[in-house]
Amino acid sequence: MTTHFEFCLKSFLLGLCLILNTFTQAQSSGGITDKYNVIWTTQSKNSSESMPLGGHSIGCNVWVEKGDLLMYAAQSGAFDENNEMLKMGRFRIHFSPNPFDSTGTFKQELKLQQGYIEITGKNTQAGAVMVRLWVETNRPVIHIDSKSDQPLNTTVSYETWREKNVLLKAEKLAITAGRRASIFDFDCYLVDIVKYADKFEQVNNRLYFYHNNDTISNAFDFVVKQQELTEIKDKLYDPLKKLISGGMLTGDNLRFKGTSDGKYYQTPFHAWTFETIKPAVTGSVTIYTNVEQASFKQWKQSIDKNTTVKTTTAQLFDNNIKWWNDFWNRSYIDINPSKNESDKAWTYGRNYNLFRYQLGGNTYGAMPTRFNGGTLTFDPGYVTDKYSFDPDFRRWGNSFTGQNQRLIYWPMLKTGDFEAMLPEFEFYRRALPNATQRTKVYWGHDGCSFTEQMQETGFPIASHYGFIENGYTLTVRPKDYEKGEQVNNFVGTMYQSQLEFAYMVIQYYNYSRRSIADYLPFVNECIRFYDKHYQYENQKKTGKKLNESGKLVFYPTTAQENNRNSTNAADVVSGVLGILKGALALPANVLPKEYRTYFEQVLKRCPDLPTEKIKIDGKDMTVLKESVFDESWRTGPIPSLYSVFPFDLIHVGMPEFQYALDTWKYKIPKTNKDQYQSWRPSAFMTARLGLTTEATALVSRKLGNSQRRYPTFWGPGHDWAPDHNWGGSGMIALQEMLMQCYGNTIHLFPSWPKDWDVDFKLVAPGNTVIEGQRLNGKLTLKVTPESRRKDIIIH
């Protein structure tokens, strides 16, 4: 703990640095001060104008509408039997007399550095009130605290749209066009399914609300039977069985008032309402939440245990403030720090940090942050008038789509948010037995076969595997279709995302120096799959495991949804090479000897990146191909440049870097180059390529204000709102413009525009911290440890 003397000494030295015009601001609480707070002085029209609040594993949408304070809340990992992610419900607070009526003043503010929301209102009749909403960062608990000038009556309501079972009838609609788009396992499945009701228990001033999957047949059971894995079911990981999600609402000075029915926007609801026993100047509402595979008794005991914590609310709040201060002291990017919202580049820096706050809200989640809204979705009719469904709805539903999910987690390396990466790694660790078992059943060899569109079980989602009976359009599966493969042509033989997350594990070690022992089996099984499976496929096709050069032939593969039958797709070859070279560079005490020996063997038989010679204006040049035999370039992920990002095989300073530049210039269609929405990679690809003008233009669209009230609620784009892979790809791009790291070398400002001042703090490999300012062309820099300064190249 810092003593008062140490604090004073640090303050003195900090002031001295300012006087001497040396490095200062990057040592402070970062570029994150109250200048980045989001402030509204008028109430919101609806839930789409909500403000995010997060902590631990919880995301909340907070807004004030027609004088009532409203909040959606959701917790990571809350899936029902059909594998739909559920919100806890909607919470409503009303004061009487009402300081939020239309006659007075109003202010809602996200206090970014402290991680909470403060709402104030004042009028003649009610006086002034201040409401503070915050989520504990070390426990899944939501607090709503209020303080007023004069005693107020308060009603607190819990509103649910899941009081009763709902029959979701079969729909003959295109994929993602109907209600089943949120229950993606059963999209275009022509059989009615039931969305089961929640359960409720009101005791005195407490309301327990929860969804209990119990032993009802669930989406895991369905895919096990569909995908012909019943014989090994007892060996498989089932994350849905007996899963209970929900919470308990309680508050001081509250008594139960009754129930009622109503409608918010397009969805009817049933409400339980509590009221104050007597008017008061202070109020406290607490929502204790839990997601757990347990009996109801065990789940309830976990909730009740949290209510008995002896730490005072004030101390809990102070702990939260410290957690968020540490979060912001760890990393930030502040563009044009002396300016304000009237400067567009300043807003890109602010939005980078606002979006990082959204990601920080799931640091300790049971499941990874979802690319299609995380825990912060709102009524779907406000996303697009195409949908009129309940607030649980999100397009692409329960699918953990690897090429989207990756974009949320790559930025966390350079921000040093290492704990927040673990939910994604744990996702693969838990599901690894399922992915290896399915490989053995279908093809009789080792390795994990995580597909592109999958459940949290690690199995392909049912709609993409295909239905032999009752399928529709893209989900129809012929009876003689190869077992194990998805019928959807876009992702049929696409297993590449597991390579990217395996490489991310290696980079996690390189940046953090934390143990990856729990995740190396996943890395190993990824390599085993690509080695064993493609020897199996080539022997089936040619009678030989390897080609005439003694190399693996990766056929058939799907090059990022471009061509189902690609040979040596660039993203596959890049991934395998990237993992092998990255793993073999790990210290001997990190990579087990048996893995090292095997990886050395596989590296010798791994094919080279596919390239071709072209002639432009009479000049011969080499470019990177998408795969050996095909060039379709149909979609936007740009697999030919995966050797540049994420796998770091080609970078500035290498002779092959010109191949990548020429590929971008001559081979990538302009329609792909100019795309910025959602997961589109052009912004960070151009940043990696040192194309400052292009990267700046694309980042301005990636990180510019959203079309909604809250600046970083982008989307829906290709996915949903708020679009988290939109924000994640924007973060990657801004980081890569500012700092790129290869081996021990750190490149600063490789594609940073000269007219953008910046104050930043980022993490480089070796747990190296780079703090710097570039103001009016003058650079000041602090490197920790100082020994790493010699490894920096400034562009």
Side-chain angles (χ1 to χ4, degrees):
M1 178 179 289
T2 302
T3 65
H4 178 69
F5 171 77
E6 290 170 327
F7 176 80
C8 293
L9 179 60
K10 288 180 180 178
S11 299
F12 168 75
L13 293 173
L14 188 60
L16 182 62
C17 287
L18 277 166
I19 294 171
L20 296 176
N21 194 32
T22 57
F23 179 81
T24 53
Q25 286 186 328
Q27 298 185 70
S28 70
S29 58
I32 309 307
T33 64
D34 59 6
K35 70 180 182 180
Y36 280 164
N37 290 359
V38 178
I39 300 173
W40 297 336
T41 56
T42 60
Q43 296 184 23
S44 300
K45 296 176 182 177
N46 53 58
S47 62
S48 73
E49 295 190 354
S50 55
M51 184 179 283
L53 173 72
H56 192 271
S57 56
I58 292 172
C60 303
N61 301 71
V62 178
W63 75 105
V64 176
E65 179 182 346
K66 297 178 182 178
D68 286 353
L69 193 162
L70 293 125
M71 181 181 75
Y72 281 127
Q75 187 171 8
S76 172
F79 292 95
D80 71 0
E81 301 87 349
N82 298 317
N83 219 7
E84 182 173 37
M85 187 171 176
L86 304 178
K87 288 190 172 298
M88 297 179 211
R90 185 172 50 244
F91 302 86
R92 183 186 300 264
I93 294 179
H94 179 83
F95 296 103
S96 179
N98 193 353
F100 296 143
D101 71 13
S102 59
T103 64
T105 59
F106 173 83
K107 183 180 180 182
Q108 178 172 340
E109 180 174 7
L110 171 62
K111 292 184 176 291
L112 188 65
Q113 190 175 3
Q114 295 80 26
Y116 70 91
I117 290 175
E118 183 178 281
I119 304 174
T120 57
K122 182 178 181 180
N123 60 31
T124 304
Q125 185 179 13
V129 69
M130 184 274 286
V131 183
R132 183 171 66 192
L133 301 97
W134 53 288
V135 181
E136 292 186 32
T137 51
N138 295 316
R139 299 189 305 163
V141 181
I142 306 167
H143 295 266
I144 307 173
D145 304 322
S146 62
K147 186 175 182 180
S148 57
D149 284 349
Q150 62 187 54
L152 300 176
N153 288 302
T154 307
T155 59
V156 180
S157 298
Y158 168 78
E159 300 174 353
T160 181
W161 47 93
R162 295 194 302 271
E163 185 203 7
K164 301 176 182 178
N165 289 353
V166 176
L167 183 66
L168 301 178
K169 296 187 73 63
E171 303 170 297
K172 285 192 173 184
L173 296 172
I175 201 161
T176 76
R179 179 63 181 85
R180 301 287 184 91
S182 188
I183 308 173
F184 209 37
D185 270 302
F186 303 107
D187 201 15
C188 295
Y189 180 52
L190 301 182
V191 174
D192 297 346
I193 61 174
V194 176
K195 180 171 180 172
Y196 291 97
D198 286 1
K199 297 180 180 179
F200 310 91
E201 184 177 305
Q202 182 264 315
V203 182
N204 298 323
N205 69 337
R206 295 184 173 189
L207 175 70
Y208 296 87
F209 51 91
Y210 59 99
H211 191 91
N212 188 350
N213 292 355
D214 206 0
T215 56
I216 297 172
S217 180
N218 60 43
F220 165 82
D221 298 317
F222 185 93
V223 300
V224 167
K225 182 178 180 181
Q226 175 205 35
Q227 297 171 26
E228 300 177 71
L229 299 169
T230 303
E231 290 186 6
I232 61 166
K233 187 176 183 180
D234 291 344
K235 299 179 181 179
L236 302 176
Y237 159 64
D238 178 0
L240 297 178
K241 185 177 181 179
K242 295 185 178 180
L243 181 69
I244 305 180
S245 60
M248 186 269 286
L249 166 69
T250 189
D252 298 338
N253 188 32
L254 290 181
R255 64 186 174 200
F256 183 61
K257 181 180 180 182
T259 63
S260 60
D261 295 298
K263 187 175 184 179
Y264 181 81
Y265 189 38
Q266 299 166 324
T267 307
F269 66 81
H270 187 72
W272 282 257
T273 299
F274 295 82
E275 63 182 0
T276 46
I277 298 171
K278 59 181 180 180
V281 295
T282 61
S284 176
V285 175
T286 309
I287 304 160
Y288 297 89
T289 75
N290 187 27
V291 175
E292 185 180 3
Q293 285 186 283
S295 68
F296 172 67
K297 181 180 179 181
Q298 293 168 324
W299 178 87
K300 188 178 179 183
Q301 286 174 343
S302 297
I303 290 275
D304 292 341
K305 184 178 179 181
N306 263 338
T307 68
T308 62
V309 172
K310 294 181 179 180
T311 310
T312 65
T313 300
Q315 184 58 56
L316 290 169
F317 184 70
D318 287 345
N319 293 344
N320 253 46
I321 296 298
K322 183 181 184 304
W323 193 96
W324 283 110
N325 278 332
D326 290 345
F327 180 85
W328 293 118
N329 280 328
R330 190 158 57 241
S331 181
Y332 52 84
I333 297 176
D334 185 5
I335 303 174
N336 292 342
S338 64
K339 297 184 179 180
N340 55 38
E341 195 167 5
S342 63
D343 178 73
K344 287 187 176 181
W346 182 93
T347 66
Y348 310 151
R350 179 201 61 186
N351 293 349
Y352 168 95
N353 293 296
L354 288 181
F355 184 71
R356 181 174 169 233
Y357 170 75
Q358 290 174 222
L359 299 183
N362 191 34
T363 297
Y364 306 115
M367 286 287 169
T369 299
R370 302 295 305 280
F371 73 94
N372 52 346
T375 51
L376 297 169
T377 56
F378 45 84
D379 295 83
Y382 291 129
V383 178
T384 168
D385 58 13
K386 178 180 177 181
Y387 301 116
S388 57
F389 308 127
D390 67 60
D392 293 327
F393 180 89
R394 67 179 77 206
R395 196 162 59 199
W396 305 108
N398 60 299
S399 175
F400 284 84
T401 309
Q403 286 303 298
N404 303 65
Q405 289 294 131
R406 66 183 185 129
L407 302 173
I408 296 168
Y409 286 93
W410 278 120
M412 295 181 187
L413 292 173
K414 289 187 170 72
T415 60
D417 295 331
F418 302 129
E419 283 185 304
M421 300 182 75
L422 296 182
E424 185 65 65
F425 295 162
E426 284 292 299
F427 173 91
Y428 282 99
R429 184 192 64 79
R430 289 191 301 261
L432 184 61
N434 290 3
T436 53
Q437 287 289 340
R438 76 182 296 272
T439 303
K440 288 179 181 178
V441 167
Y442 297 139
W443 301 298
H445 59 71
D446 293 340
C448 59
S449 51
F450 287 104
T451 57
E452 176 62 9
Q453 300 270 11
M454 62 180 173
Q455 298 181 336
E456 66 269 43
T457 62
F459 294 131
I461 59 169
S463 60
H464 277 37
Y465 192 81
F467 307 109
I468 291 178
E469 296 180 349
N470 301 308
Y472 182 67
T473 65
L474 295 178
T475 70
V476 175
R477 184 180 184 88
K479 289 185 178 181
D480 59 349
Y481 210 81
E482 181 175 342
K483 291 182 180 181
E485 284 193 6
Q486 297 176 95
V487 73
N488 186 302
N489 272 323
F490 288 95
V491 294
T493 54
M494 186 174 168
Y495 306 98
Q496 290 91 302
S497 290
Q498 64 182 4
L499 295 174
E500 190 158 349
F501 283 106
Y503 184 67
M504 192 183 291
V505 167
I506 295 169
Q507 289 293 73
Y508 171 86
Y509 171 80
N510 289 336
Y511 275 75
S512 71
R513 292 297 191 256
R514 299 185 182 192
S515 174
I516 55 173
D518 288 344
Y519 310 117
L520 282 174
F522 163 57
V523 176
N524 177 54
E525 293 297 337
C526 286
I527 291 299
R528 284 193 176 275
F529 175 77
Y530 274 93
D531 181 31
K532 304 299 183 182
H533 188 67
Y534 288 100
Q535 290 189 48
Y536 164 86
E537 289 285 358
N538 203 57
Q539 186 169 43
K540 186 170 66 173
K541 181 183 177 184
T542 68
K544 297 180 180 179
K545 293 182 177 180
L546 305 174
N547 67 10
E548 61 278 3
S549 302
K551 299 288 186 179
L552 290 163
V553 179
F554 296 128
Y555 173 89
T557 55
T558 305
Q560 292 305 317
E561 302 187 8
N562 278 7
N563 194 312
R564 184 189 182 96
N565 294 314
S566 296
T567 301
N568 290 352
D571 50 343
V572 173
V573 177
S574 297
V576 174
L577 285 173
I579 291 172
L580 292 173
K581 292 182 178 182
L584 291 172
L586 293 171
N589 65 336
V590 174
L591 186 71
K593 184 177 180 181
E594 61 269 26
Y595 287 3
R596 187 175 299 275
T597 300
Y598 176 60
F599 289 174
E600 287 171 345
Q601 294 170 356
V602 179
L603 183 60
K604 292 177 182 178
R605 54 180 174 263
C606 188
D608 295 329
L609 288 170
T611 61
E612 69 172 329
K613 298 285 186 181
I614 63 171
K615 190 181 290 289
I616 301 293
D617 297 330
K619 181 180 177 181
D620 291 327
M621 58 184 65
T622 302
V623 294
L624 302 167
K625 293 187 69 178
E626 183 176 308
S627 60
V628 171
F629 297 119
D630 14 67
E631 292 286 348
S632 60
W633 305 103
R634 186 173 67 237
T635 63
I638 316 179
S640 56
L641 292 179
Y642 271 51
S643 54
V644 176
F645 183 93
F647 294 114
D648 304 321
L649 297 170
I650 295 176
H651 54 78
V652 62
M654 296 178 64
E656 295 86 355
F657 190 60
Q658 190 61 46
Y659 299 175
L661 285 170
D662 289 337
T663 301
W664 175 265
K665 185 174 182 180
Y666 298 113
K667 295 294 291 184
I668 310 298
K670 189 176 188 304
T671 52
N672 282 353
K673 290 180 181 179
D674 294 342
Q675 294 293 325
Y676 67 93
Q677 291 183 327
S678 297
W679 47 261
R680 296 284 181 168
S682 294
F684 56 78
M685 286 297 190
T686 51
R688 272 284 175 107
L689 293 171
L691 302 173
T692 303
T693 301
E694 292 91 331
T696 303
L698 288 161
V699 161
S700 71
R701 304 185 81 180
K702 278 281 190 189
L703 293 178
N705 289 337
S706 76
Q707 67 271 46
R708 306 185 191 283
R709 189 175 197 186
Y710 192 76
T712 57
F713 275 12
W714 296 289
H718 304 298
D719 300 311
W720 200 239
D723 189 334
H724 280 53
N725 55 191
W726 186 317
S729 57
M731 285 187 72
I732 296 169
L734 198 66
Q735 291 175 350
E736 296 298 325
M737 292 168 69
L738 186 55
M739 183 178 79
Q740 296 178 20
C741 305
Y742 307 106
N744 290 325
T745 304
I746 301 167
H747 296 262
L748 291 181
F749 310 105
S751 47
W752 194 261
K754 292 181 179 180
D755 58 344
W756 286 5
D757 286 348
V758 65
D759 180 2
F760 69 95
K761 185 175 184 180
L762 293 172
V763 177
N767 217 2
T768 302
V769 179
I770 309 294
E771 305 174 69
Q773 294 177 324
R774 197 183 76 175
L775 305 175
N776 299 317
K778 183 177 180 180
L779 175 65
T780 53
L781 203 63
K782 179 182 178 181
V783 183
T784 307
E786 178 62 28
S787 59
R788 289 281 272 143
R789 186 182 290 270
K790 69 181 186 308
D791 300 320
I792 295 174
I793 297 173
I794 297 173
H795 294 252

